[in-house]
């Protein structure tokens, strides 16, 4: 079974700071990895999907990288804003099944 | 486009009662999923339907059944609810299975007393 870990569980930063969220997975036979954002009491919103053949994906102020050999993905948020405050989850999909394995998330607070 | 919709938003059941959670998507997606989210556990897959007419078990299928009614709708049934099924349930859909972006509904918060 794929184990997905996100550290830290919570992070607080001042507005304007650049930050990195971490995601690690145990099975390097990964098909793709997806980053989501979840606001309190809401569903998940997809941010970026990185296929195994890709090293990174970018969308606006967000950049996600994937390193299969080390079992790591990072989500870089540039110039953070209070509206970025949310829980960020990563989910890894391995080749053998039609299933994503989710981390428990990092709760981000951006302080104005 | 409404995206992925779920009903109901909240539900309280007594142990042993049954209920069906409804999910519908209007994006013409082929694949649909049911997850549960518990504190400290992350999201876990209950069942999925890779395409209309097929369903498969996920990580935690015990105590649940599903029906892929048509391409749009995928329901989750609890036949005899237990307190361990207290959770937030999310439905999701994607165009081409797990190779593709998943879109989530707003969730159903279920409490079993």
């Amino acid at each position: 079974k794929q184990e997905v870990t996100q550290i830290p569980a919570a992070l607080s930063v001042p507005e304007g700071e650049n930050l990195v969220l971490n995601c690690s997975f145990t099975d390097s036979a990964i098909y793709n990895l997806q980053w989501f954002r979840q606001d309190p009491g809401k569903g998940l919103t997809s941010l970026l999907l990185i296929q195994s053949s890709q090293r990174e994906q970018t969308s606006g102020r967000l950049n996600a990288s994937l390193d299969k050999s080390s079992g790591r993905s990072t989500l870089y948020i540039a110039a953070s804003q209070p509206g970025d405050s949310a829980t960020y989850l990563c989910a890894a999909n391995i080749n053998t099944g039609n299933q994503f394995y989710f981390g428990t998330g990092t709760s981000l607070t951006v302080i104005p | 486009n409404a995206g992925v919709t779920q009903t109901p938003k909240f539900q309280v059941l007594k142990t042993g009662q049954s209920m069906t959670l409804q999910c519908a998507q209007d994006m013409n997606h082929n694949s649909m999923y049911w997850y549960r989210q518990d504190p400290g556990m992350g999201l876990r897959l209950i069942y999925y339907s890779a395409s209309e007419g097929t369903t498969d078990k996920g990580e935690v299928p015990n105590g649940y059944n599903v029906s892929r009614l048509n391409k749009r709708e995928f329901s989750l049934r609890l036949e005899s609810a237990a307190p361990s099924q207290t959770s937030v349930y999310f439905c999701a859909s994607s165009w081409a299975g797990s190779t593709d972006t998943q879109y989530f509904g707003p969730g159903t918060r279920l409490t079993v007393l």
Side-chain angles (χ1 to χ4, degrees):
Chain A
K1 178 192 164 185
Q2 178 77 274
E3 299 286 342
V4 180
T5 305
Q6 292 184 250
I7 295 174
L11 181 64
S12 184
V13 300
E15 182 177 1
E17 190 162 300
N18 301 327
L19 60 102
V20 174
L21 305 180
N22 296 299
C23 173
S24 61
F25 46 91
T26 54
D27 191 338
S28 62
I30 189 169
Y31 197 88
N32 56 43
L33 186 137
Q34 195 162 1
W35 281 94
F36 295 88
R37 168 188 172 133
Q38 185 176 28
D39 293 288
K42 305 289 187 183
L44 281 69
T45 300
S46 178
L47 298 173
L48 290 163
L49 173 68
I50 312 175
Q51 303 294 348
S52 63
S53 58
Q54 299 173 315
R55 291 297 300 263
E56 63 178 50
Q57 281 279 9
T58 298
S59 175
R61 295 182 294 109
L62 305 180
N63 176 278
S65 67
L66 176 64
D67 185 342
K68 291 193 299 180
S69 61
S70 66
R72 290 188 60 199
S73 176
T74 61
L75 179 67
Y76 174 83
I77 302 177
S80 59
Q81 304 170 357
D84 294 331
S85 297
T87 296
Y88 291 81
L89 299 113
C90 66
N93 176 31
I94 59 174
N95 285 340
T96 58
N98 191 3
Q99 179 167 337
F100 277 102
Y101 292 91
F102 281 79
T104 52
T106 294
S107 177
L108 173 66
T109 302
V110 180
I111 303 166
Chain B
N1 282 354
V4 180
T5 58
Q6 293 183 236
T7 56
K9 285 186 168 50
F10 300 94
Q11 184 72 48
V12 179
L13 293 178
K14 294 181 179 178
T15 297
Q17 288 185 319
S18 62
M19 78 162 295
T20 299
L21 282 65
Q22 305 286 354
C23 174
Q25 52 89 11
D26 63 2
M27 296 174 281
N28 202 34
H29 284 169
N30 292 305
S31 302
M32 298 186 73
Y33 307 82
W34 276 106
Y35 292 92
R36 60 179 289 173
Q37 185 175 36
D38 302 292
M41 298 288 291
L43 275 83
R44 292 178 293 169
L45 183 66
I46 305 171
Y47 271 94
Y48 66 94
S49 172
S51 60
E52 186 179 357
T54 69
T55 60
D56 285 288
K57 295 178 180 179
E59 188 180 352
V60 288
N62 291 345
Y64 305 95
N65 285 300
V66 291
S67 295
R68 183 75 183 266
L69 304 169
N70 47 55
K71 193 171 185 179
R72 291 187 62 247
E73 298 173 289
F74 189 37
S75 63
L76 178 72
R77 182 160 179 86
L78 287 69
E79 291 290 351
S80 179
S84 61
Q85 294 178 304
T86 293
S87 187
V88 181
Y89 291 85
F90 288 101
C91 178
S93 70
S94 66
W95 174 252
S98 58
T99 63
D100 199 3
T101 298
Q102 293 198 0
Y103 295 85
F104 280 75
T108 294
R109 187 172 294 275
L110 174 67
T111 301
V112 183
L113 301 175

